[in-house]
Every structure is written in C-alpha cells, then in structure tokens.
Amino acid sequence: MKNFVSVNDVSNIDALVQKALAYKASPYIDKTLGTNKRIGCLFLNPSMRTRLSTQIAAQNLGMEPIIFNVGSEGWMLEFEEEAIMSGTTVEHVKDAAPVFGKYFDILAIRTFPSLKNRDDDYSELYIKQFIKYAGIPVVSLESSTLHPLQSFTDIITITEELEKAKIVNPKPKIVLTWAPHVKPLPQCVANSFSQWVNAWGKADFVITHPEDYELSEEFTKGATITHNQNEALKDADFVYVKNWSTFNDYGKIYESDPNWMLTNKKLELTNNAKVMHCLPVRRNVELSDEILDGPNSIVTLEASNRVWAAQAVLSEILRTNG
Ligand code: CP
C-alpha cells in the first residue's frame, strides 16, 4: 500500500480486516516494525478519535507520532497552483509538503470541506497536493469527501459482530440512515461508508434519507435508495446513523425533521439491529439517549476499533515502503 486515501488503495478488504482483528488480539506483535520511523499527523481541523487512535496505532508499531495542528498553530497554507499569495495564506503546500517529507516517513492529514463550492471540495485538492509534493506515503485522516479510516473501522466492527454471532456466509442487511442535525455537515462519512460497503460486496445495502439529500452516485451506486425510513429499517441487521448536508444544492440543510431520529420504537422494525455512529454525536438530535445508552448501540466498540484499523493501514504502508 503506497497511500491510504480511499477504499481504492486496498487490494483485499477482508484480508485487511483480519489483519486489524489480529492486532486487536495481539497489539504489540509488530512492535519493532516502525522503529526509528516517524509519522506526522497534520490537523487542519479538530479531532478526538482519529487523532488519539492514530497515535496509539503508530506507537503499537514502534513509530513516533508527531502531531501538528496546522489549522490553529501553523502557517496558513495555500493549495492553488500559481497562486499570487497576497491574501491570508502564508506558505504554499509546494514548499511545506517537501519539508514534511524530510521530517517524516508517513504523513497523515485531516482536512474538512468548505461546503461552499462542491467542485473545489470534490476535487480533493488538499490531499492530492500533499501526495504530489510530500514524496512520502500519505494517509487520510478524513478529507473533503471521504473518511476511509472510519469506514474501514466500520467494516471491521460489522465483521466482528457477524463473527461473534457465528453466522456462516452472512449477508447482513446494512442501512445507512440520514439523521437530523443543527448545522450543515460534510458528506464524507456517508460517502465513504457507502463506498466501502459497496466495495466489500457482502451486504444487502440500503440508504435512506429525506428527499433532496441524495449523495453522489459515485459512492452510492449499487445501494438501494429510499425516502421511506421505516421501510428501509425493516429486518435491518445494522443501522448506521449519520447526518449529511445536501450534495446537489451543495452544503445546505433543507429540513431537519426530528422524526428522522432513530428511536427504540423504530428499532422494533429491525432484526434487533446493532446501531452505529462514527461519533461525535449530538444526543437527542441525531440519536436518542435511549438508543445510545441501550443494548443495541455499538458506538464505543466502533470507536475503539479505530486503533486496529489505523494499525493495519500503517503496518501495510511500512511493509510496502520499507
Ligand atoms: N469519528 C471521528 O473521526 O472522530 P473525530 O472527529 O473525533 O476524530
């Protein structure tokens, strides 16, 4: 694996899932793989789980993680080619990325979309410019359109639950449902989850959202899409809850109907489904207390699995790049 910015960087999802689960069983089995190597984790935006789990994963492999909060502590970076830098940006990625490339062995980056211009956000300029100019492997810690470490974690968590249930050749029904929120959020988690579940190809995958919240077909193609949440939830084995803003009329909230929030009553429609959310979650807006504090929620397991996802990915990159 050279870089990790989407599911397209993974040649065998199931093999990578089993690698992650092996690290979960024996976290320090490769504790010298990253000796004398450094990973630079650049944050242009806030994070709790991604930041901590990536540090722990790197340390489990013997790597030294260095965190740099570019957004709040570093120079404001310019990403446009041939920019005349007479505005607020102070340093061009063309100059900064090669420096990171000399300081680190792997570069990991979190950068959110502006939600103002869809073409700009979906061009993934920031992560592409780091790949172009850093000269070392790049890992996405969430980009403008995707959150691959989260989605890989989600497939690990679903696999783990299916293995616990001892179902031979399972074909779970997985439902991604839109949830209300108070502000416009990126489509990254929903795009990425859709991309990974489709690439995994082992589920009956249904996406449900209100009208006008269609996601990009680039990621959802292959899923069943319905505006009827109750119909979608019928017999579901896993329900993934997430808000996203509009894709077509980009970055808007058209409505935030509280009836879209998952409740125990709605869960009765499912096959006693496990409920997932990437966190952070707005309680009693996106997801009810009764679900989050109830027996069907696996959100903490999901967040804890972020470590094993990151460890498997960093391990693959270390092995590939020496
Ligand atoms: N799920 C997730 O990426 O969490 P953080 O934003 O806290 O990293």
Side-chain angles (χ1 to χ4, degrees):
M1 188 186 289
K2 171 75 178 143
N3 300 301
F4 181 78
V5 298
S6 83
V7 75
N8 299 326
D9 293 308
V10 179
S11 56
N12 184 328
I13 295 175
D14 280 327
L16 200 61
V17 166
Q18 290 309 321
K19 188 179 181 94
L21 290 173
Y23 279 134
K24 183 168 185 168
S26 307
Y28 307 113
I29 200 162
D30 280 330
K31 67 179 183 210
T32 59
L33 185 64
T35 303
N36 299 331
K37 306 256 185 205
R38 272 184 224 109
I39 177 169
C41 299
L42 310 188
F43 286 88
L44 284 83
N45 300 96
S47 163
M48 189 263 261
R49 278 145 290 270
T50 306
R51 178 184 179 124
L52 297 176
S53 61
T54 306
Q55 283 185 81
I56 295 166
Q59 285 167 344
N60 286 351
L61 295 169
M63 294 190 88
E64 186 186 354
I66 295 184
I67 308 295
F68 182 39
N69 297 310
V70 182
S72 58
E73 295 163 351
W75 302 116
M76 193 181 283
L77 292 176
E78 175 63 56
F79 290 88
E80 292 292 340
E81 296 288 343
E82 298 176 21
I84 297 168
M85 291 172 54
S86 56
T88 50
T89 55
V90 177
E91 179 159 26
H92 203 285
V93 67
K94 235 170 166 171
D95 303 309
V99 178
F100 294 133
K102 296 294 177 204
Y103 292 164
F104 304 120
D105 300 281
I106 299 176
L107 196 57
I109 299 143
R110 165 165 284 201
T111 167
F112 288 168
S114 67
L115 292 181
K116 290 189 178 112
N117 182 312
R118 189 175 81 181
D119 290 344
D120 283 355
D121 288 345
Y122 275 69
S123 76
E124 289 285 12
L125 178 69
Y126 286 21
I127 207 118
K128 283 183 182 159
Q129 291 290 62
F130 276 113
I131 290 172
K132 185 172 173 186
Y133 291 116
I136 55 173
V138 169
V139 173
S140 167
L141 300 175
E142 188 169 349
S143 66
S144 294
T145 65
L146 296 171
H147 196 351
L149 276 173
Q150 179 65 53
S151 311
F152 175 35
T153 302
D154 298 331
I155 300 292
I156 294 168
T157 307
I158 289 167
T159 302
E160 198 181 15
E161 287 296 311
L162 292 171
E163 286 181 358
K164 258 191 240 166
K166 295 191 175 24
I167 303 166
V168 182
N169 295 327
K171 190 165 191 211
K173 180 173 178 184
I174 300 177
V175 177
L176 167 63
T177 179
W178 183 90
H181 204 280
V182 293
K183 61 178 205 169
L185 295 189
Q187 294 102 35
C188 310
V189 171
N191 283 345
S192 197
F193 185 72
S194 302
Q195 190 188 41
W196 278 74
V197 174
N198 279 327
W200 190 47
K202 290 187 163 180
D204 171 12
F205 184 37
V206 179
I207 303 172
T208 184
H209 54 72
E211 280 182 40
D212 301 320
Y213 278 90
E214 278 70 24
L215 293 161
S216 167
E217 270 187 36
E218 181 188 348
F219 307 113
T220 61
K221 206 164 179 205
T224 303
I225 300 170
T226 171
H227 299 143
N228 185 333
Q229 191 190 40
N230 285 349
E231 189 182 290
L233 291 173
K234 221 173 278 171
D235 300 325
D237 298 297
F238 295 89
V239 181
Y240 200 98
V241 178
K242 187 72 185 88
N243 170 269
W244 61 86
S245 59
T246 53
F247 170 72
N248 287 323
D249 181 20
Y250 192 58
K252 308 265 189 325
I253 301 183
Y254 280 161
E255 61 155 312
S256 223
D257 181 355
N259 290 322
W260 275 82
M261 185 176 73
L262 196 66
T263 56
N264 276 345
K265 186 80 196 143
K266 289 189 187 193
L267 211 55
E268 285 173 12
L269 295 165
T270 71
N271 181 27
N272 197 23
K274 301 291 181 194
V275 178
M276 305 176 73
H277 188 287
C278 63
L279 302 180
V281 64
R282 297 227 182 196
R283 279 178 175 252
N284 303 312
V285 177
E286 278 183 280
L287 251 178
S288 56
D289 276 343
E290 61 181 10
I291 297 262
L292 283 164
D293 299 333
N296 292 64
S297 169
I298 54 170
V299 299
T300 307
L301 171 71
E302 197 182 344
S304 70
N305 282 339
R306 292 292 306 270
V307 172
W308 320 117
Q311 193 165 337
V313 165
L314 295 182
S315 161
E316 284 291 303
I317 290 176
L318 286 170
R319 283 183 208 282
T320 307
N321 296 279

